[in-house]
Amino acid sequence: MKNLQDRLVKRTDIDFMRRSLPGITVYMCIWPLLSWPLNYHEAHPVFTHTFAAILVIVGILRLLAAYSTQFIYAKYPKLWRINILGLSLIHGASLAALLVTALSFSKYTDMVLPIALIQATIISGAVSSLSPKPRFTQLYLSFLTVPIIIASAFHPEYSYLSYLFAVLWIYYIFLANRFSQEYQRAFHIEVTLSDNQKKLETLTITDALTGLYNRQYFDRTLDSQWDLASRSQSSLSILFLDIDFFKKVNDKYGHLVGDKALCHAANILKEITQRKSDMIARYGGEEFAIILPSTEHKDALILAENIRKRLENIPLISDDISINMTVSIGVNTIIPNNKSSNMEFVDNVDKALYAAKHTGRNKVMSFFNVAKDEDQ
């Protein structure tokens, strides 16, 4: 649950930042675009230039904070959040101060209605764009509207703005809560679908009993590792493993114990084969396969021998039953080239496994030795 909440917080942070970018541009441009064509900057230069400078400077700071997200957020999320949200509130308060100033001084009252129109437009856009953060949206709307409600209430000519903005304030706070609920609902649906998709993908590539990869995924991985080894001209090794006399375990103890035996072998393989690049698969029945990228033949033989010894020395304990198990292993290594194929590569390691099983079992056999015997 905590992980889900952390994911929601991160999503709301990033969505809030992205959604606020268009609003930042509006904040920076709207006052100059309104006042300059009306020559207001000539009639009241201090008033016009002061608020234009405030809105533009805060906008630049917000843009810098937004585009520094990739450098700051991962290490200092709280600092990033305070910066982004704080600057947003300053922008809102600045715009509210613009209208309060126009209401407070008679020489600016001719700009009250145009500024009020801007204010109402900004409020309406903020409700949907800032909905990922409901509490902040409520605070932001309050910063934009409450000062205007109070200031216009004491102005005889524009007292109606007090009622108008009060209604807008209540309505948009209600609307913001609804948008936020819809946002969170959509997030949870998305997470559920994503998690289910991952589970489905996992089921299609793993063996349900042992948790190892399945034959289909083994074939895909071998193809990709073959291509990588071919391009880099590095050694690619492979192990085929077969539990000795596994049928006798099933016949004597039943399939339930046989399943436990397969899981026991799979766990030992996972314990010993620890490189992230190595891939272990249940190849079929009691047969397993391991792909070892960038692994020399001697290292593959050492790993195979460690597996053989470990499985031989650690019996399966099931209830009051102790079952000693052994494994036969075939090993093959190649540096892929134009004259070789991964099908031949697999066929050769299968020959090595066959030789290990038919020359006494419980042993590791290299295909190179098998090939020498065939030549002789």
Side-chain angles (χ1 to χ4, degrees):
M1 184 63 70
K2 184 178 184 302
N3 181 51
L4 182 61
Q5 185 62 30
D6 290 342
R7 290 167 67 181
L8 177 59
V9 170
K10 184 175 181 179
R11 169 66 70 82
T12 58
D13 285 342
I14 302 304
D15 279 354
F16 175 88
M17 181 269 295
R18 289 174 178 169
R19 292 181 177 202
S20 65
L21 289 177
I24 296 173
T25 306
V26 172
Y27 266 112
M28 295 172 66
C29 300
I30 195 68
W31 176 237
L33 288 175
L34 178 66
S35 58
W36 260 254
L38 297 175
N39 294 320
Y40 213 71
H41 64 290
E42 294 180 357
H44 305 287
V46 175
F47 174 67
T48 305
H49 294 151
T50 298
F51 279 100
I54 292 172
L55 294 172
V56 170
I57 290 172
V58 176
I60 292 172
L61 292 175
R62 288 182 70 184
L63 289 174
L64 290 174
Y67 287 111
S68 65
T69 299
Q70 58 179 323
F71 307 107
I72 298 175
Y73 187 83
K75 292 184 177 180
Y76 309 104
K78 290 184 179 179
L79 177 63
W80 178 92
R81 202 172 293 122
I82 291 171
N83 192 25
I84 288 286
L85 301 184
L87 288 171
S88 300
L89 289 177
I90 292 173
H91 241 169
S94 301
L95 194 58
L98 177 63
L99 185 51
V100 170
T101 303
L103 285 166
S104 302
F105 297 93
S106 58
K107 58 182 178 179
Y108 304 139
T109 52
D110 56 325
M111 292 297 289
V112 168
L113 291 181
I115 297 173
L117 182 60
I118 294 173
Q119 200 85 339
T121 304
I122 293 289
I123 292 171
S124 126
V127 171
S128 59
S129 63
L130 305 184
S131 60
K133 293 193 172 293
R135 292 182 181 177
F136 173 81
T137 304
Q138 294 172 5
L139 184 61
Y140 179 82
L141 292 174
S142 300
F143 267 58
L144 277 170
T145 54
V146 172
I148 299 168
I149 293 171
I150 296 172
S152 58
F154 295 99
H155 197 290
E157 184 179 356
Y158 295 106
S159 59
Y160 67 90
L161 289 177
S162 178
Y163 305 109
L164 176 62
F165 275 92
V167 171
L168 287 177
W169 180 40
I170 295 171
Y171 172 68
Y172 281 131
I173 281 182
F174 168 78
L175 207 58
N177 286 335
R178 194 177 76 177
F179 284 164
S180 176
Q181 290 172 2
E182 292 174 352
Y183 176 89
Q184 294 192 31
R185 189 181 302 114
F187 170 79
H188 285 94
I189 291 173
E190 179 187 333
V191 169
T192 301
L193 290 174
S194 176
D195 290 346
N196 288 341
Q197 179 66 24
K198 289 178 181 177
K199 290 177 182 177
L200 181 61
E201 290 174 357
T202 300
L203 288 173
T204 61
I205 65 174
T206 56
D207 172 59
L209 176 64
T210 62
L212 300 177
Y213 291 112
N214 58 24
R215 169 72 178 274
Q216 181 182 6
Y217 190 70
F218 168 86
D219 292 337
R220 287 161 49 190
T221 303
L222 181 61
D223 287 341
S224 61
Q225 291 296 343
W226 182 272
D227 292 339
L228 287 172
S230 179
R231 287 197 296 270
S232 62
Q233 283 298 283
S234 58
S235 296
L236 177 65
S237 293
I238 188 172
L239 275 59
F240 268 18
L241 311 90
D242 192 285
I243 299 176
D244 297 327
F245 305 111
F246 180 74
K247 186 176 182 300
K248 292 183 179 180
V249 175
N250 272 336
D251 293 342
K252 184 175 182 180
Y253 301 105
H255 288 282
L256 184 61
V257 174
D259 289 347
K260 291 181 180 180
L262 291 173
C263 292
H264 176 67
N267 290 334
I268 287 177
L269 296 181
K270 286 187 283 189
E271 287 174 8
I272 298 179
T273 311
Q274 295 184 345
R275 292 193 314 176
K276 290 183 178 180
S277 58
D278 300 337
M279 200 278 280
I280 314 169
R282 184 182 177 191
Y283 199 71
E286 68 273 20
E287 193 171 353
F288 300 88
I290 304 176
I291 298 174
L292 304 169
S294 303
T295 303
E296 300 293 336
H297 191 63
K298 59 181 178 60
D299 296 321
L301 288 172
I302 292 173
L303 178 67
E305 185 61 25
N306 289 338
I307 292 172
R308 188 197 66 77
K309 290 180 179 178
R310 187 72 173 270
L311 191 60
E312 182 183 31
N313 295 327
I314 301 179
L316 167 66
I317 307 297
S318 177
D319 298 327
D320 296 329
I321 304 171
S322 177
I323 303 173
N324 292 96
M325 300 165 57
T326 61
V327 64
S328 300
I329 306 176
V331 182
N332 194 15
T333 302
I334 195 173
I335 298 178
N337 54 56
N338 295 332
K339 297 180 180 180
S340 57
S341 70
N342 56 4
M343 293 181 64
E344 181 184 6
F345 181 52
V346 170
D347 185 56
N348 288 338
V349 75
D350 198 41
K351 290 179 180 178
L353 173 60
Y354 180 86
K357 291 170 64 175
H358 287 79
T359 55
R361 301 181 188 265
N362 190 25
K363 62 169 57 177
V364 175
M365 182 67 72
S366 165
F367 171 70
F368 298 157
N369 294 334
V370 174
K372 287 179 182 178
D373 292 341
E374 289 178 351
D375 292 340
Q376 293 176 356

